[in-house]
């Protein structure tokens, strides 16, 4: 029998001999594009990229580290080659990437329009013989909390592959001339699904409120999460429902979002982005600045930025530099929350002769609010022999119990009090069933019980929390309106990392007009911690900083600072008789 020949076994030079000059040049472009997504974008898709987009593609795919180093130093991601090498050592696999771009940076285009097509065209991550790879059905996924954002990514792919992508550069308008247009086969607008010639597909799916449950059972080469900070459940979605979909092919996950302080997952996104800035825990973060985008008119950018700067300096920083805005309708500034964590371990052991307080926020429903316990070590806070800046509270332990027997939960409270050196115990008996709980605790012979409802109020509690978390904070504003912390060790509360507390503090909102919080947001962690800090500050240390309500926009002086509020600071009204001069 003669030796069987097929294209997979032919020498590449033999293949080129059978091709025309144009076909041979195209084959060379395809071969080079496999190892360089930027080259692929510019030479096969005919899409121009700015330096920030190039760095994003090169570094997150691990294809061109030398080029990534040069351009990263050029645009300021790394200060020198040594810092870049340190990043490589911390990130052996670049599977958890975060892009924090300013508005109009071009995040959706470079992610959906380029990176998804690159992964699909070459089936990046599929292992096996060329024949088996060619027959493998696979795809990539782009998800977003909102359908409009999913549609934008879907449209970019169709426009690019059909040579309908337009852009402006130096005042001139251009349209791409895609060289792989035959890669596109068909699309389904209703499902936002695109089919390609090599048995691959692209899907764009809104997660909505199902916490990405609709993704179960499917594996992907690559997943991007556009505007992820707007998700209601980002922290819960990532591990099992998104990252697990990438195990088969070992592909990466890209989280892409502009910082928006009032969005549900902003605090968590802020936290992991900070880790990514330092290349910790496998995260890599790239901050995209508006100035990176060479496709926008300089005069247009300057005019818009100046209008924003004079209206909202904080938003100006976000739009121009992609920075996190830490002001908004949320009660606790993102930086205050982030400053709490000084350890990523777990609960701390009981220390002999240390003083503790155990706090309980009751909740016995099987599907509703859980019972939350906190233990605060206040030993150093009352130690006058150590420097004042070291007198801090510390969260030593936290526990949450969902449902279960009320007797078992109350028994757990007694055990915690006993284990933590006979700690004081504080709870709120004004909650549902509080009177019965109070009697049961007394019958269990629990001592040192403090009832928050007896003399505390929620507004004062929240005020105390802000005072404690922001104590000794000093800031200055630079010429670009960036807030710089002069004392980075501010605050009198420290803790090991508690994700549930981070999320609730980051989302906490209070409506002083109605005296309630947003009922859609959980607040058990905030209430438990707040009650403990309130007692320590108001009753133990007897700090007298007073809170008050005032309205600086009121029509007259009487309503700016009401009489009862003025009395708190010893303020009184003096009436000057009117004198008419003729």
């Amino acid at each position: 029998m003669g030796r069987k020949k097929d294209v997979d076994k032919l020498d590449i030079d033999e293949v080129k001999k059978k091709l025309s000059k144009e076909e041979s040049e195209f084959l060379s472009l395809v071969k080079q594009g496999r190892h360089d997504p930027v080259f692929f974008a510019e030479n096969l898709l005919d899409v121009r990229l700015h330096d920030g987009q190039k760095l994003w593609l090169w570094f997150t795919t691990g294809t061109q580290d030398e080029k990534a180093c040069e351009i990263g130093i050029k645009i300021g991601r790394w200060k020198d080659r040594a810092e870049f090498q340190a990043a490589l050592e911390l990130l052996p696999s670049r599977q958890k990437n975060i892009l924090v771009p300013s508005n109009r940076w071009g995040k959706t285009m470079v992610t959906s329009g380029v990176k998804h097509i690159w992964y699909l065209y070459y089936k990046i991550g599929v292992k096996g013989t060329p024949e088996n790879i060619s027959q493998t059905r696979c795809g990539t996924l782009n998800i977003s909390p909102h359908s409009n954002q999913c549609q934008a990514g879907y449209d970019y792919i169709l426009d690019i592959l059909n040579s309908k992508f337009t852009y402006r550069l130096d005042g001139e308008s251009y349209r791409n001339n895609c060289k792989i247009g035959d890669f596109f086969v068909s699309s389904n607008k209703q499902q936002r699904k695109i089919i390609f010639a090599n048995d691959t597909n692209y899907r764009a799916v809104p997660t909505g409120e199902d916490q990405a449950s609709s993704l179960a059972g499917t594996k992907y080469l690559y997943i991007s999460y556009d505007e992820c900070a707007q998700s209601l459940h980002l922290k819960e979605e990532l591990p099992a429902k998104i990252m697990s979909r990438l195990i088969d092919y070992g592909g990466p996950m890209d989280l892409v979002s502009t910082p928006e302080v009032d969005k549900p997952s902003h605090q968590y996104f802020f936290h992991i982005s900070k880790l990514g800035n330092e290349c910790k825990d496998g995260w890599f973060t790239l901050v995209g600045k508006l100035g990176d985008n060479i496709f926008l008119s300089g005069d247009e950018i300057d005019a818009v930025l100046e209008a924003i700067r004079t209206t909202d300096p904080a938003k100006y920083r976000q739009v121009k530099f992609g920075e996190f805005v830490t002001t908004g309708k949320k009660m606790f500034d993102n930086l205050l929350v982030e400053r709490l964590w000084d350890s990523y371990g777990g609960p701390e052991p009981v220390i002999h002769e240390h003083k503790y307080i155990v706090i309980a926020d009751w909740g016995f429903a099987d599907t509703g609010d859980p019972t939350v316990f906190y233990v605060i070590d206040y030993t150093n806070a009352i130690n006058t022999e150590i420097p004042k800046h070291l007198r801090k509270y510390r969260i030593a332990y936290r526990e949450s119990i969902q449902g279960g027997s009320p007797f078992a939960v109350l028994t757990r409270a007694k055990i915690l009090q006993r284990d933590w050196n006979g700690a004081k115990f504080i709870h709120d008996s004004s909650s549902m069933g509080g009177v019965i709980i109070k009697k049961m605790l007394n019958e269990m012979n629990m001592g040192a019980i403090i009832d928050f409802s007896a003399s505390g109020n929620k507004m004062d509690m929240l005020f105390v929390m802000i005072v404690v978390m922001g104590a000794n904070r000093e800031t200055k504003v630079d010429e670009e309106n960036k807030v710089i912390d002069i004392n980075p060790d501010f605050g009198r509360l420290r803790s090991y990392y508690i994700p549930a507390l981070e999320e609730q503090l980051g989302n906490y909102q209070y409506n002083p007009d109605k005296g309630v919080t947003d009922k859609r947001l959980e607040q058990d962690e905030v209430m438990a911690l707040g009650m403990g800090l309130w007692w320590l500050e108001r009753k133990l240390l007897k700090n007298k900083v007073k809170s008050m309500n005032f309205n600086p926009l009121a029509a007259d002086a009487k309503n700016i600072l009401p009489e009862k509020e003025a009395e708190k600071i010893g303020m009184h009204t003096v009436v000057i008789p009117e004198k008419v001069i003729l």
Side-chain angles (χ1 to χ4, degrees):
M1 293 179 63
R3 184 169 65 93
K4 181 182 178 181
K5 282 191 175 185
D6 58 49
V7 72
D8 294 330
K9 295 180 181 179
L10 288 175
D11 184 88
I12 190 66
D13 293 329
E14 292 296 322
V15 173
K16 287 185 175 180
K17 290 179 182 179
K18 300 178 181 296
L19 300 176
S20 66
K21 180 180 179 181
E22 292 77 12
E23 291 172 332
S24 179
E25 290 176 350
F26 175 76
L27 183 62
S28 296
L29 294 177
V30 170
K31 182 179 179 181
Q32 189 169 347
R34 170 66 175 78
H35 304 286
D36 189 337
V38 174
F39 181 90
F40 173 79
E42 295 185 336
N43 292 275
L44 288 170
L45 301 180
D46 192 27
V47 172
R48 289 285 304 274
L49 302 171
H50 60 67
D51 287 347
Q53 293 171 325
K54 292 177 182 178
L55 173 58
W56 175 247
L57 290 174
W58 279 331
F59 189 82
T60 59
T61 60
T63 52
Q64 299 289 326
D65 283 345
E66 186 62 32
K67 293 180 180 178
C69 177
E70 293 177 3
I71 207 166
I73 294 173
K74 175 184 175 184
I75 67 175
R77 177 55 179 89
W78 297 284
K79 61 182 180 181
D80 52 33
R81 183 172 293 274
E83 187 175 353
F84 175 80
Q85 291 297 329
L88 293 185
E89 294 176 5
L90 292 170
L91 299 169
S93 62
R94 296 161 224 182
Q95 294 185 314
K96 298 191 298 182
N97 307 304
I98 299 173
L99 178 60
V100 186
S102 68
N103 298 89
R104 303 293 308 281
W105 187 83
K107 60 181 177 61
T108 304
M109 191 282 288
V110 73
T111 302
S112 291
V114 175
K115 198 169 182 180
H116 275 275
I117 298 177
W118 182 73
Y119 267 90
L120 292 162
Y121 191 73
Y122 294 105
K123 291 188 174 180
I124 304 295
V126 181
K127 307 297 182 183
T129 64
E131 183 178 1
N132 289 341
I133 291 175
S134 68
Q135 296 179 4
T136 299
R137 296 181 182 276
C138 52
T140 63
L141 175 70
N142 178 40
I143 57 179
S144 179
H146 304 294
S147 59
N148 287 345
Q149 200 62 38
C150 289
Q151 186 67 38
Y154 170 86
D155 290 340
Y156 268 121
I157 291 182
L158 293 180
D159 287 348
I160 289 173
L161 292 179
N162 289 292
S163 298
K164 295 181 179 179
F165 175 71
T166 61
Y167 60 93
R168 292 183 63 83
L169 182 63
D170 297 330
E172 298 291 331
S173 179
Y174 299 90
R175 190 180 72 177
N176 78 310
N177 181 22
C178 180
K179 291 184 174 64
I180 57 170
D182 57 352
F183 181 53
F184 168 76
V185 174
S186 64
S187 62
N188 185 318
K189 186 174 182 178
Q190 186 176 11
Q191 297 180 352
R192 297 187 187 88
K193 185 174 182 178
I194 306 175
I195 306 298
F196 302 101
N198 61 349
D199 285 329
T200 61
N201 67 84
Y202 165 92
R203 292 181 64 204
V205 180
T207 57
E209 298 185 4
D210 70 352
Q211 298 188 37
S213 297
S214 60
L215 309 181
T218 311
K219 54 187 179 181
Y220 296 100
L221 302 172
Y222 161 63
I223 296 177
S224 61
Y225 200 156
D226 207 347
E227 296 298 357
C228 62
Q230 297 183 22
S231 166
L232 297 174
H233 316 278
L234 180 60
K235 179 167 61 67
E236 290 76 15
E237 291 168 349
L238 290 184
K241 296 178 180 177
I242 295 179
M243 297 174 70
S244 62
R245 305 295 100 203
L246 295 162
I247 293 175
D248 292 77
Y249 298 120
M253 170 192 66
D254 289 349
L255 302 182
V256 183
S257 188
T258 50
E260 297 183 70
V261 68
D262 294 327
K263 300 306 178 182
S265 293
H266 179 82
Q267 185 66 49
Y268 177 69
F269 187 58
F270 178 55
H271 173 71
I272 58 177
S273 295
K274 285 195 66 178
L275 292 177
N277 282 333
E278 301 175 14
C279 300
K280 291 182 177 179
D281 291 353
W283 291 105
F284 166 74
T285 297
L286 175 66
V287 175
K289 304 175 183 178
L290 184 62
D292 295 339
N293 194 343
I294 60 175
F295 306 106
L296 296 177
S297 166
D299 293 339
E300 177 186 1
I301 292 175
D302 292 341
V304 173
L305 286 178
E306 181 60 21
I308 296 174
R309 187 187 66 81
T310 55
T311 304
D312 188 342
K315 191 67 176 177
Y316 165 81
R317 297 288 310 177
Q318 186 266 309
V319 172
K320 184 174 182 179
F321 300 109
E323 293 181 354
F324 280 83
V325 178
T326 59
T327 58
K329 62 183 179 181
K330 303 296 178 66
M331 175 161 284
F332 300 98
D333 188 297
N334 299 125
L335 293 175
L336 297 186
V337 179
E338 191 64 22
R339 177 59 278 190
L340 296 178
W341 324 122
D342 63 359
S343 166
Y344 290 91
E348 301 181 353
V350 181
I351 301 176
H352 180 59
E353 293 188 346
H354 269 225
K355 296 184 179 296
Y356 300 96
I357 181 171
V358 177
I359 313 105
D361 183 71
W362 305 113
F364 298 100
D366 291 329
T367 58
D369 294 337
T371 293
V372 176
F373 292 111
Y374 270 80
V375 179
I376 299 177
D377 183 344
Y378 60 91
T379 310
N380 287 338
I382 62 174
N383 186 352
T384 57
E385 296 182 358
I386 63 176
K388 193 171 183 179
H389 70 278
L390 297 177
R391 300 175 196 172
K392 301 179 187 293
Y393 303 115
R394 181 161 196 86
I395 300 175
Y397 181 81
R398 174 263 180 193
E399 180 179 351
S400 178
I401 302 175
Q402 184 72 59
S405 167
F407 298 100
V409 175
L410 293 174
T411 301
R412 181 57 181 157
K414 182 176 177 64
I415 292 172
L416 285 173
Q417 185 182 51
R418 180 197 64 192
D419 290 350
W420 292 89
N421 297 344
K424 297 182 182 299
F425 181 84
I426 184 170
H427 74 131
D428 185 357
S429 67
S430 68
S431 58
M432 184 176 296
V435 176
I436 296 176
I437 293 172
K438 188 175 181 179
K439 290 182 178 180
M440 292 178 68
L441 292 176
N442 288 328
E443 290 187 8
M444 292 170 62
N445 296 318
M446 283 188 66
I449 298 177
I450 304 162
D451 187 354
F452 174 76
S453 64
S455 57
N457 68 77
K458 192 170 184 178
M459 274 298 295
D460 190 45
M461 179 197 78
L462 294 170
F463 174 73
V464 165
M465 290 184 70
I466 294 175
V467 169
V468 171
M469 293 169 64
N472 304 315
R473 187 180 183 188
E474 297 181 50
T475 62
K476 66 178 182 180
V477 180
D478 65 10
E479 295 179 354
E480 291 284 354
N481 293 305
K482 181 178 182 180
V483 177
I484 301 173
D485 279 293
I486 300 174
N487 174 26
D489 192 37
F490 66 84
R492 292 191 288 115
L493 176 66
R494 294 292 181 268
S495 174
Y496 63 96
Y497 179 52
I498 305 175
L501 178 61
E502 173 194 56
E503 181 176 4
Q504 291 192 22
L505 284 172
N507 284 326
Y508 197 88
Q509 301 173 30
Y510 189 80
N511 187 334
D513 296 328
K514 298 181 180 179
V516 297
T517 55
D518 187 336
K519 295 301 183 183
R520 295 172 300 175
L521 301 173
E522 296 179 352
Q523 52 182 296
D524 315 284
E525 310 283 334
V526 177
M527 287 301 299
L529 177 61
M531 285 190 290
L533 292 177
W534 172 85
W535 184 85
L536 291 168
E537 285 288 292
R538 293 299 195 218
K539 302 302 180 182
L540 182 66
L541 297 181
K542 300 186 183 302
N543 286 333
K544 299 298 183 181
V545 178
K546 297 183 181 294
S547 62
M548 66 186 70
N549 296 316
F550 74 100
N551 179 12
L553 301 178
D556 52 56
K558 181 179 179 180
N559 291 317
I560 291 177
L561 194 63
E563 185 177 348
K564 289 185 178 180
E565 300 299 320
E567 290 175 356
K568 294 180 180 180
I569 57 174
M571 188 175 179
H572 61 278
T573 303
V574 176
V575 179
I576 301 176
E578 182 179 354
K579 185 174 183 180
V580 179
I581 301 177
L582 298 177

